[in-house]
Amino acid sequence: MNVKLKESDIGIMIRCAENGLDQTQTADVLNVSPATISRNAKRFGIKFKTVKDKTCDKCGVDSCVCKTAETVGVDDREVQKSEQTQLEAAIRRNPRAWAVDKKKHRKELAIAAIQKETRKEVIDEIVWGWHVLEFELEMAKLGKRPALPMQIKTPNKQQMQKEKARLLKISEDRRHHIISFFEIGKDYTVPELKNMMGDDNMGMNASVISGLMNGLVQMGRLKKYRLEYQKNKPDYWLYYLPNQTPKERTHD
């Protein structure tokens, strides 16, 4: 049975081919058979790496990170340009400003790992992992998958502390605002207190008011009780200021 691929799947096939994956590896990514990849590759003119193209002695892939390692070492112009860029960055008092190409940095790490290995199966794993990582990062940039953890920026600790302090201040201001409506000898339910606030509710709905009042009870700044259950009567908690006896009342 022929499997029909969507336009997004065809785009993934193109990205896989550009990143050096063969048809079998692309089939694993899309969770389809290699025959489906081969048929659609012929239909849309997508060229994948084949056995004839695998000329690298270490990993068996043409234009891979292994082959790039040789060209980086002999390109004098590239080395000179890199040294000049590092010098300019040092002048700007930012010695790591030259390392802005993260993809190049990841490739250099892969090259260094490959040069330390002699076992072919380990080298294959490093190369495969590099290709898959670059592919997933590209898909995340296109919005076809969630961002990887390495793409998520860690929030600044100082900003987090400031935001936490701001939210705590808002909560405390809301607690003071709620307590300001209480009078000695009177108790209120959440709906009654919400109606008393009217438009002066500081952006609080009944759910937020209820949560803050329960928090005030746990802090000992309010107390609450509930009347005996009566059929067809609201069964609300009644809140009152501490150090006083609960007032007997019913809800009409």
Side-chain angles (χ1 to χ4, degrees), residues 82 84-100:
S82 177
Q84 292 176 353
T85 310
Q86 293 183 29
L87 180 60
E88 293 174 359
I91 294 174
R92 294 194 301 267
R93 297 183 180 182
N94 187 4
R96 296 199 61 183
W98 60 273
V100 294

Side-chain angles (χ1 to χ4, degrees), residues 4 6 12 29 58 86 116 145 171 197-198 210 244:
K4 293 184 179 180
K6 301 178 181 178
I12 293 175
V29 173
K58 288 188 176 182
Q86 293 183 29
K116 294 178 182 178
R145 61 147 294 156
S171 298
M197 290 183 181
S210 176
Q244 63 175 327

